[in-house]
Amino acid sequence: MTVAALSRRRFLIGTAAAAGGFSLGFHLPFAAQAQEREAILPEVNAWVLIHPDDTVVIRIARSEMGQGTLTGLAQLVAEELECDWSKVTTEYPTPGESLRRNRIWGNFSTGGSRGIRESHEYVRQGGAAAREMLIAAAATLWKVPEAECSAASSIITHNPSGRSVTYGAVASLAAHMQPPADVRLKDPKVWKIAGKPLPRLDTRDKLTGKQVYGVDLQLPGMLNASIRACPVFGGKVASFDAAAVSGMPGVRKVVQVDETAVAVVADTWWQAHSALLALPIVWDEGPNENVTSQSIAEMLKEGLEAEDAVIGTRIGDVRTELAGDVKLVSATYSYPYQHHATMEPMNATALYTTERCEAWVPTQNGEASLSLVAEVSGLPIEQCDVHKLHLGGGFGRRGWHQEYLRQAVILAKAVPGSPVKLIWSREEDMLHGAYHPVTQCRLRAALNKNGEVTAFHMRISGQSILWPLRAEVRETGRDPAVFQGLNDGGSEGAFGYTISNLLIDHAMRNPPVPPGFWRGVNLNQNALYVECFVDELAHEAGIDPLEFRRKLLVDNPKHLAVLEAVAERVGWGKPAENGIHRGLAQIMGFGSYVAAAAEVSVTGGELRIHRIVAATDTGHIVNPAQAERQVEGSFAYGLSACLFGECTIDGGRVEQENFDTYEVMRMDQMPAVETILVPSGDFWGGVGEPTIAVAGPAVLNAVFAATGKRVRQLPLKNNSLAV
């Protein structure tokens, strides 16, 4: 596939698939043409640049948004490269350059905890290939066989003679060497750089303020813009009076953006935003002005009883077993809309001329960004490019849904030749998200006289994230993402419990509020539904919740191992301190096995979470220290969602417009989190997302232990815990 043969439509389709989390084929990093390497010296290959002073620049295609992927991928390349880690730095290649070079860096999408687990092999191959090319260059210089040479810490040594040379001294020559046809990767057991708890490469710049985020970006001659879209989903601009603000300080232009929004372009952002607030706008609120949270809840409630459900997993004959002479247990749970609430609001900067369009944007998918720039600018994709910046939080918001970038390009076209930086206000960000989807779930199970589960039916009613994105989902009504953590086997998110009669289905109901990928995605509510209901079943059976799960997990030792790890650490089965109560949860998602145990107290109806113990089996771990931080951070995010996270709808719009009404965990509310890493070493799983899912159910199960009350509707703040 070459640029000349690649239509914009084909590229858009391909990157859309990548944005949704499905891998694409591409060439390995050492397949670049020799003339390309020659033109970009001191590039050894696409992944590795080495300067004469031995500074090693490792190119990272995936995005860094606080999760540590940049450092982890650099560790993997450096491990195979055998370079001096103290001299390693990184840079982003652009998706435009990647396209020109036959997509040499592969997938630019960063989401679904896939940054490392889906690129570890080819980035290691890139580092190994560069090492062999450097060795070949030194051998050529010395006129000795390559087999007599070895590399370590950025130095190549001729073993028989003891001669040595640094990488920087032979990098230019190495760029001319033939890339090896095949390379052998190291066994992780002998890793020296990867697998170690090394400090992150981006920490110093963040601490000193040197790190440039999208909102910090400054370009010569740059203008600034603020924007307002109709606050009602599906609404449009009816009219606005640009003349009313055209004379305000700094104002350059008032621009209608598509049918839905109006923006002001000015010298500074505050000038633009002040004018925007003063701008008279009349909205056509459209067909959704009467939509409320209650009307959406009624729509989902109907789906719980509907006949048109799509089956995710079916084993045995659930309906017959549930109709038999058994003890029936049932419960209905619900999960609300939630916002990503990134610290850095949505923003993008664009520069347009009739010959070229470039954008600077914090993006989770640089290729999707590039395709969008080409589409909106109307220019051939090879005349466009995107410069990625670190993200001040992503959580899925900056992946598929990049309307802020679309708006920035439209505004840049309105003032050609001048860069325009668009920053959404916090209110605009809260009102126009791509929200965690709303769902309800009815669970029914049969228990025999021994307290064993003989049948289990889980009906999910609610929104599909993929419905707006994929034609096949609209045609079939089946969204595979709905069944995260509920699959009958597989390596991504298997349902761990062995139940002879099992039915999990989904009645798709899509309200007009746009859904999106939200850190942890559908695993969050699925874990809460299953793990809280399993706790209910254990209580009904009169069996300890840990022992109850042990029997159900007997055929899935990896699920059981993480559960056993947290139970042992928290002291399950031993008396807790006075007033402390415990809860458990486990799930598999994003290729990893996770479990949590929570310790809580409830006094006078007030909840206090004292301690979380979390276990994770990701197979391999590239940076243990970073994995621990990801687990700890995921509980801050997951507990915020469980305790406070809720976007309510009234009049077709979100009611929460800032952090005064959309609460998150405060530091004094955050419990101690103890992380147990139990890598079994035979697979590659995700780290940043799966443990979010067990935060809520572990706490809610502990709340039941403390109060005897089952919380089935999130967030917890809407429930009274007074005994």
Side-chain angles (χ1 to χ4, degrees), residues 75-204:
Q75 283 181 258
L76 289 172
V77 174
E79 179 65 55
E80 299 293 343
L81 181 60
E82 290 283 5
C83 68
D84 181 348
W85 178 253
S86 70
K87 296 184 178 180
V88 167
T89 186
T90 62
E91 70 178 23
Y92 291 129
T94 71
E97 182 182 357
S98 185
L99 182 60
R100 287 188 292 275
R101 297 176 65 173
N102 211 19
R103 291 198 74 228
I104 199 167
W105 285 283
N107 195 341
F108 275 62
S109 177
T110 311
S113 290
R114 289 183 168 90
I116 288 178
R117 66 184 172 119
E118 285 193 350
S119 55
H120 66 89
E121 184 173 8
Y122 63 81
V123 301
R124 287 189 289 156
Q125 288 172 333
R131 180 196 69 232
E132 293 304 304
M133 294 164 72
L134 288 159
I135 289 174
T140 299
L141 188 67
W142 292 325
K143 296 182 173 56
V144 299
E146 294 175 28
E148 293 181 357
C149 303
S150 61
S153 194
S154 292
I155 296 173
I156 303 159
T157 301
H158 180 230
N159 297 318
S161 67
R163 286 178 291 179
S164 64
V165 65
T166 66
Y167 279 7
V170 296
S172 294
L173 180 59
H176 295 273
M177 295 292 105
Q178 183 67 29
D182 191 24
V183 290
R184 176 177 293 183
L185 300 179
K186 291 183 180 180
D187 186 325
K189 294 177 182 178
V190 300
W191 280 349
K192 296 175 291 185
I193 297 174
K196 306 303 178 185
L198 303 179
R200 287 175 52 156
L201 296 174
D202 54 340
T203 299
R204 182 179 294 276

Side-chain angles (χ1 to χ4, degrees), residues 634-711:
S634 72
F635 277 91
Y637 210 72
L639 292 176
S640 289
C642 176
L643 272 60
F644 309 115
E646 178 186 36
C647 291
T648 54
I649 310 299
D650 190 31
R653 61 182 287 168
V654 171
E655 293 186 281
Q656 293 74 24
E657 297 190 18
N658 213 314
F659 287 115
D660 59 333
T661 50
Y662 191 79
E663 298 177 72
V664 296
M665 292 283 288
R666 287 357 188 225
M667 290 183 69
D668 65 344
Q669 297 169 320
M670 186 67 193
V673 178
E674 300 174 28
T675 301
I676 307 171
L677 301 178
V678 287
S680 52
D682 56 344
F683 64 97
W684 290 79
V687 178
E689 295 184 88
T691 50
I692 293 176
V694 290
V699 167
L700 295 187
N701 289 336
V703 166
F704 172 77
T707 65
K709 291 189 173 185
R710 288 288 177 189
V711 176

